[in-house]
Amino acid sequence: MQLQDILFSQGFGTRRVCAGLIQQGRVSVDRQPVTDAAAEFEAAGLRFAVGGVEWEYHEKAYLLLHKPAGTECSRKPSAYPSIYTLLPPPLRQRPQKAATQGVQAVGRLDQDTTGMLLLTDDGQFIHRMSSPRHHVPKVYEVTAKHAVDERQIGRLLEGVVLDDDPRLVRAAACELAGERLLRLTLTEGKYHQVKRMIAAVGNRVEGLHRSRIGGLALPADLAPGQWRWLSPADLALLEP
Ligand code: URA
């Protein structure tokens, strides 16, 4: 693949901008500047640097972000900064692929919710991870306003009715982790689902953190606001 096309596919700007970056000597491969925009490289696994910043070619982007509180999952946020501002410019500017708008979040978390958020430009992956038919479990650590009792846990497991659907919505698992702390596993992703389920059993969410999706837990060394690429092993844990 030509170097200018590699840069373009990774979000470094239009083809013309990418060709310009190369011709200006700002791009190196194996620490050697390359000034021929049409130079051919094997894209898979290619490491290169643009303006001194190291990058690795990824045909598709699969990312894990530790969403901090006070950020919105929208590209056009209304009150708080967008989560997309936490990504480096190439990831925000990757060209659009079929059915996606470049890199986008897999589902949304509320402004005040923290924890695991997946982002990708693979539309089929988004579909598989979000579709209720695929039952990907998501684990939430809930801090409730009032002490949680066994009756509330029983109701969450049996199912509660939310205001937009007469069908019962159940927690796949629910355990007490402290007097006001609940670990709740859901396999669907309805709007404000945790907050509405907790309200339906007469309590209230004061803090919400997503700690696990499928078999992948939020790594302890990924601080709020940080992101990283998902490895093939991570992806296998998400989709066993
Ligand atoms: N359920 C909620 O109520 N909010 C979230 O952010 C995620 C799940």
Side-chain angles (χ1 to χ4, degrees):
M1 195 166 165
Q2 292 190 351
L3 190 56
Q4 59 187 347
D5 293 332
I6 292 177
L7 259 63
F8 170 70
S9 72
Q10 301 302 286
F12 286 91
T14 62
R15 283 197 169 77
R16 183 191 286 250
V17 166
C18 292
L21 287 169
I22 299 165
Q23 286 151 2
Q24 290 155 23
R26 302 195 56 211
V27 180
S28 55
V29 179
D30 289 335
R31 303 193 186 281
Q32 298 299 314
V34 179
T35 52
D36 175 5
E40 292 276 347
F41 290 92
E42 172 65 46
L46 186 75
R47 289 173 178 275
F48 56 93
V50 180
V53 178
E54 298 275 340
W55 202 257
E56 185 181 332
Y57 175 87
H58 289 264
E59 186 191 350
K60 291 191 176 131
Y62 301 99
L63 313 173
L64 169 59
L65 172 72
H66 185 163
K67 180 189 175 295
T71 51
E72 290 185 30
C73 287
S74 165
R75 276 177 204 284
K76 293 189 180 146
S78 50
Y80 297 88
S82 163
I83 51 149
Y84 294 97
T85 63
L86 298 168
L87 301 179
L91 286 174
R92 301 205 299 263
Q93 293 163 21
R94 273 169 86 98
Q96 300 189 1
K97 300 227 172 79
T100 64
Q101 302 173 304
V103 170
Q104 65 183 85
V106 181
R108 290 186 174 201
L109 293 175
D110 297 336
Q111 161 284 118
D112 49 353
T113 302
T114 60
M116 267 181 106
L117 190 67
L118 308 177
L119 297 109
T120 184
D121 57 356
D122 178 348
Q124 289 178 356
F125 177 76
I126 295 179
H127 176 71
R128 290 196 303 276
M129 294 306 293
S130 346
S131 153
R133 278 191 298 127
H134 287 86
H135 297 296
V136 179
K138 299 182 182 81
V139 180
Y140 294 90
E141 314 294 329
V142 183
T143 306
K145 182 172 168 75
H146 310 289
V148 182
D149 57 37
E150 289 300 329
R151 201 181 54 90
Q152 291 176 358
I153 292 185
R155 285 190 60 203
L156 290 165
L157 289 168
E158 278 159 24
V160 294
V161 176
L162 303 180
D163 44 13
D164 58 351
D165 193 339
R167 282 172 297 189
L168 285 177
V169 180
R170 292 185 180 82
C174 183
E175 55 175 302
L176 208 51
E179 197 190 20
R180 294 189 300 121
L181 293 182
L182 262 185
R183 182 162 302 122
L184 195 68
T185 306
L186 302 182
T187 53
E188 313 158 83
K190 290 173 179 287
Y191 181 68
H192 290 329
Q193 185 168 339
V194 174
K195 290 177 183 166
R196 292 194 297 152
M197 286 178 76
I198 299 295
V201 301
N203 209 324
R204 190 188 156 97
V205 171
E206 283 204 334
L208 188 55
H209 176 81
R210 186 155 70 188
S211 57
R212 177 177 285 269
I213 300 177
L216 185 68
L218 182 66
D221 59 355
L222 193 69
Q226 285 186 338
W227 68 275
R228 69 165 169 78
W229 295 97
L230 288 168
S231 67
D234 294 331
L235 291 171
L237 287 171
L238 289 169
E239 293 192 275

